[in-house]
Amino acid sequence: MPAQSYTYDDGDEEAELECLRDSLEQMDNLADKTTQLLKVFDIRLKNLGRVIAPIYKSTQKLTRLYDNVETTMGSLDDILLFFNVAKDESDTIRAGPDESELLPYLDSINRLKDASDALKQLDLDSALQSRQEIHELLRIGLGNLSQLFSQWLKQHSGGIDPAAYVYASEIPTFPTDTVKLLSMLATYLNLVNDEVSYDLRLTKTYAGIRTRHLQKSLAQFSEMCSGYVRSNTFDGQHGFGEGGGSRNIMSEVRFCTIRNENWYEPGTSPFAQYTVNIAKLFEAERDLVRQIMPTVISDETLFVTIERPLESYINTGEKTMAFIFTSPIYEVLHALDVYGYLLETESVLTSLLVSKQGQSNGIAKMISRLQAHMSKSFVALINLLRNPFKEDTMPKQTGGASELVSNTLTFLSYLIGYKDLVINMFLSLGDGHWNQDGSQDSPHMSHQASDPNDGLSIFQHYLRDVIDAVSYTIEQGGKQMKRPTLQFVFLINNHSYLARTLRDTMYAGDDDLQSLGLGDLVGRSALLRVESQIERSRKGYTATWKAVMSSFPAATLSPAEKLSAFTQGMDEMVRSHRAYDIFDTDVRAMLISDATEAVVPDYDMFLRQNPDKSPEFVRSMKYTPRDVQRKINGMLDD
């Protein structure tokens, strides 16, 4: 098919172009008019915004005013309800709390408290009247809660025996649930009490009940102390002498003339038991107070609770001190034991009384007085042994062991049981403090401790000086005997008792300081000195038996007269020996042996050298050598 050819008309093109130009002009005009219209609309909108702004602000103010009116009306409704709280809660409050469901009662008290706070802001007579009614209900309600608090406390505050428990933590107080309820109640009462200014005296309520509990629990110990003092006080024990310088004379007489059979045993002091148990009981009470009472009043509550029981304890302690200070020297053992218990419990009692220095000072005062008394008593013992025998303390004329010697040695054996306490005390007092009266140069006293800076060495020095003083006492006692034979019997008997005591308390090879005995502490040299004195006295005793045969060498007497004088002397010696108190079998054997050796061989020789069988001689010969031996063997029998 042949190709087609296209041709364009210039006239048509121009017509189209003209049409386009007209359209563009119309669009430009329309755009200009639209722009002008928008400008006018913008101006009108701005004008409208300026007109509406004040109206909007007024609307906000109206909204806030409406909200305030709503709130005020709501508050007014609440206030009107507060006026009715007293009426609404009266029956609940007056009926008292239900022990099994306490929270509703606490809610009622809270509503009363809130109403009281709200009405306090109103200066209206009707509000004042309502507040008075609310305050009265609060008084009743808090009183009921306080009464419930007391009731729960009393359920487990009837007294216990603290001695039945080893540790304070073992002492029963309250069940856990009861403790929680008491704690909740105490915390609430303390808080509300501060807010409503109503004096609940919560501390006084707790202390009143628990103080009686403590007093009842401790009464047995106070009574035991009083009974101990009554039963151990002797006629003539009076006055108040703290220490050796002012010791009661009757106490010295008893120590010198009456052998003590009831030595104090460690831990048996009623006051020592009182001390241990009051500390345990106070510790348990402190823990209970901290569990129940609010922290802000717990310390004060504890002190008020234990104040009266503590005063009673200190008063009992003062009476016990008075008894100890006027008792014989051996009661120092009692003082030492109490002193040790006080030292052990002082930190506990002081910590409980950290804010009450007056009461803790009472305990410190007892400790200080005991220290002073004991140090003076140690001096008093030395001084007594140096000047032992006065008109009313003379030894018996029986040759027996001196009560003073016996009491002193037994006292020392018990004293060593408190070695640790005594060592610390002696270290603070210094070496030789017992010789400060100028007698340190006495031949019966040693010079100084091996180590003046060691408490044990000082204690050993003291013991050596006491043993030397005991030996001196024995010598002085011998001089009081009225017959030479009796003098030597007394010396032998008492020095042998001393030597045996030292020997029996020597535990050689034992390195444990706690097991050292009296003999170990004074050393073997002290024993050797005593044994040498025994040998010297035995020679004197033998000489008195030799004197029975003093007639044998006489040239002016006939054999019969010599024999008659011997028989008379022999009978007198045997008769006198029967009155002697010699209970030590070793000493009895020693005296019999010495008497036999002194008499029998010489008597036998005399008979051999005088074979005279004259009637006069035969009548004078009352005893054969074997008879003499038998009489000597039985001379100490009853």
Side-chain angles (χ1 to χ4, degrees):
M1 185 172 71
Q4 295 183 0
S5 61
Y6 297 91
T7 59
Y8 296 90
D9 189 351
D10 293 336
D12 292 337
E13 291 179 355
E14 289 179 359
E16 290 179 2
L17 290 171
E18 185 64 28
C19 183
L20 287 173
R21 278 194 294 271
D22 290 341
S23 297
L24 288 173
E25 287 178 0
Q26 289 177 2
M27 291 178 68
D28 288 341
N29 291 333
L30 182 61
D32 290 339
K33 290 180 180 179
T34 301
T35 300
Q36 290 175 357
L37 182 62
L38 289 172
K39 288 182 178 178
V40 172
F41 185 72
D42 183 58
I43 291 170
R44 288 181 178 179
L45 282 176
K46 290 181 180 178
N47 291 334
L48 181 61
R50 283 193 294 270
V51 172
I52 291 176
I55 297 174
Y56 176 73
K57 291 180 179 178
S58 297
T59 302
Q60 286 183 318
K61 290 181 180 179
L62 287 173
T63 301
R64 285 196 298 270
L65 181 60
Y66 175 78
D67 291 340
N68 288 339
V69 170
E70 281 287 319
T71 302
T72 301
M73 291 182 67
S75 298
L76 183 58
D77 289 340
D78 292 339
I79 291 174
L80 291 175
L81 290 175
F82 289 145
F83 277 92
N84 295 324
V85 165
K87 180 180 179 182
D88 294 341
E89 303 296 340
S90 178
D91 292 342
T92 300
I93 294 300
R94 295 181 186 278
D98 182 354
E99 295 184 27
S100 61
E101 189 61 41
L102 192 59
L103 289 179
Y105 198 80
L106 298 182
D107 290 340
S108 293
I109 291 181
N110 286 337
R111 284 192 287 273
L112 288 171
K113 183 174 68 66
D114 292 341
S116 178
D117 292 340
L119 295 176
K120 190 186 301 182
Q121 310 301 321
L122 302 179
D123 187 15
L124 298 173
D125 291 341
S126 58
L128 177 61
Q129 181 179 355
S130 294
R131 284 187 60 211
Q132 290 174 344
E133 294 174 357
I134 290 172
H135 189 77
E136 174 63 17
L137 288 177
L138 279 173
R139 184 187 69 79
I140 295 173
L142 295 176
N144 287 338
L145 290 178
S146 180
Q147 185 176 359
L148 179 61
F149 182 77
S150 300
Q151 178 181 329
W152 283 345
L153 274 179
K154 290 177 181 178
Q155 287 177 357
H156 301 277
S157 299
I160 60 169
D161 180 10
Y165 308 94
V166 178
Y167 303 106
S169 58
E170 298 176 349
I171 295 178
T173 52
F174 292 82
T176 302
D177 291 342
T178 303
V179 170
K180 290 180 180 178
L181 288 172
L182 283 168
S183 176
M184 179 184 70
L185 199 52
T187 301
Y188 182 83
L189 287 172
N190 187 64
L191 179 63
V192 175
N193 180 54
D194 291 340
E195 293 182 355
V196 302
S197 300
Y198 174 68
D199 187 10
L200 291 172
R201 299 182 179 179
L202 189 58
T203 291
K204 185 176 180 180
T205 298
Y206 180 97
I209 295 170
R210 295 299 292 177
T211 292
R212 288 190 292 273
H213 165 77
L214 295 177
Q215 289 175 322
K216 187 173 182 179
S217 301
L218 295 169
Q220 57 173 317
F221 301 104
S222 178
E223 293 171 0
M224 287 166 58
C225 290
S226 299
Y228 181 90
V229 170
R230 284 194 303 270
S231 62
N232 289 277
T233 300
F234 54 84
D235 293 339
Q237 181 179 358
H238 55 79
F240 192 81
E242 294 193 28
S246 56
R247 182 170 295 280
N248 187 288
I249 298 300
M250 285 301 299
S251 297
E252 284 191 357
V253 172
R254 288 179 65 86
F255 191 74
C256 292
T257 60
I258 300 176
R259 182 169 301 188
N260 184 45
E261 300 295 343
N262 299 311
W263 290 92
Y264 176 80
E265 295 295 338
T268 59
S269 168
F271 189 70
Q273 298 174 38
Y274 199 169
T275 300
V276 171
N277 285 286
I278 197 173
K280 284 191 297 188
L281 208 56
F282 281 6
E283 280 189 279
E285 194 64 30
R286 176 196 60 195
D287 295 340
L288 182 64
V289 168
R290 289 177 177 176
Q291 292 179 65
I292 293 177
M293 302 300 283
T295 303
V296 294
I297 60 173
S298 61
D299 286 346
E300 180 64 22
T301 301
L302 175 64
F303 174 72
V304 176
T305 302
I306 67 176
E307 183 177 19
R308 288 169 61 188
L310 184 62
E311 287 179 356
S312 177
Y313 166 76
I314 292 176
N315 289 336
T316 301
E318 294 295 332
K319 295 176 183 178
T320 303
M321 302 297 113
F323 164 75
I324 292 174
F325 296 159
T326 56
S327 297
I329 292 175
Y330 44 74
E331 280 295 334
V332 172
L333 301 172
H334 188 173
L336 270 168
D337 205 36
V338 170
Y339 175 71
Y341 278 97
L342 282 174
L343 289 180
E344 290 177 5
T345 57
E346 181 187 20
S347 59
V348 175
L349 295 176
T350 302
S351 66
L352 295 172
L353 303 167
V354 64
S355 61
K356 305 294 180 181
Q357 291 299 321
Q359 294 293 344
S360 60
N361 285 344
I363 299 169
K365 183 180 178 181
M366 281 196 291
I367 292 176
S368 177
R369 289 177 62 195
L370 282 171
Q371 286 176 328
H373 166 71
M374 289 184 292
S375 65
K376 291 179 180 179
S377 294
F378 295 137
V379 176
L381 177 60
I382 286 280
N383 291 338
L384 180 60
L385 292 170
R386 290 171 182 165
N387 186 25
F389 300 115
K390 304 178 181 65
E391 181 178 353
D392 49 3
T393 59
M394 289 295 180
K396 300 176 183 177
Q397 298 292 316
T398 61
S402 165
E403 282 75 13
L404 176 57
V405 173
S406 174
N407 285 338
T408 300
L409 294 179
T410 308
F411 169 75
L412 292 181
S413 68
Y414 276 92
L415 180 65
I416 291 171
Y418 298 95
K419 184 165 66 272
D420 292 340
L421 286 174
V422 177
I423 284 173
N424 291 331
M425 191 182 304
F426 275 35
L427 183 60
S428 64
L429 294 172
D431 184 34
H433 67 272
W434 56 90
N435 289 327
Q436 297 306 312
D437 61 351
S439 59
Q440 56 265 38
D441 296 329
S442 169
H444 301 279
M445 301 295 123
S446 56
H447 295 293
Q448 64 180 13
S450 58
D451 183 358
N453 297 316
D454 177 64
L456 178 60
S457 295
I458 297 173
F459 184 43
Q460 288 177 289
H461 180 196
Y462 174 76
L463 292 176
R464 287 194 298 270
D465 279 2
V466 173
I467 293 301
D468 287 342
V470 168
S471 183
Y472 174 76
T473 295
I474 294 172
E475 293 176 11
Q476 296 303 306
K479 294 178 180 178
Q480 305 303 319
M481 299 298 107
K482 297 179 179 180
R483 300 181 60 179
T485 304
L486 182 58
Q487 175 183 353
F488 293 117
V489 168
F490 179 87
L491 293 174
I492 293 171
N493 197 17
N494 282 273
H495 275 130
S496 295
Y497 177 61
L498 174 56
R500 186 179 68 255
T501 299
L502 296 180
R503 279 194 298 268
D504 291 347
T505 54
M506 285 184 174
Y507 312 114
D510 194 341
D511 295 330
D512 184 5
L513 291 178
Q514 297 301 322
S515 64
L516 292 177
L518 177 60
D520 296 310
L521 291 169
V522 300
R524 187 161 295 277
S525 60
L527 176 59
L528 294 176
R529 286 196 299 273
V530 175
E531 289 177 341
S532 67
Q533 290 170 322
I534 295 174
E535 292 303 316
R536 189 164 54 248
S537 298
R538 289 180 69 180
K539 292 178 180 179
Y541 177 70
T542 299
T544 62
W545 277 99
K546 292 286 187 183
V548 175
M549 299 173 292
S550 61
S551 61
F552 288 175
T556 58
L557 298 177
S558 67
E561 291 175 327
K562 294 177 181 181
L563 192 57
S564 178
F566 167 78
T567 300
Q568 183 178 356
M570 181 67 189
D571 288 341
E572 178 61 28
M573 285 289 281
V574 171
R575 185 166 50 252
S576 63
H577 274 69
R578 292 190 184 281
Y580 299 161
D581 293 332
I582 313 298
F583 303 109
D584 187 324
T585 56
D586 292 336
V587 173
R588 291 167 70 97
M590 184 188 304
L591 296 177
I592 291 171
S593 175
D594 289 347
T596 299
E597 292 181 7
V599 175
V600 174
D602 289 353
Y603 181 60
D604 183 62
M605 183 179 294
F606 171 76
L607 293 180
R608 292 178 184 277
Q609 292 175 349
N610 296 275
D612 187 2
K613 301 301 180 182
S614 64
E616 184 180 1
F617 186 86
V618 171
R619 285 195 301 271
S620 299
M621 194 180 77
K622 186 176 180 180
Y623 306 116
T624 66
R626 182 170 295 182
D627 293 333
V628 171
Q629 179 69 69
R630 281 197 297 267
K631 286 189 69 68
I632 292 175
N633 288 342
M635 65 181 177
L636 298 175
D637 296 337
D638 294 335

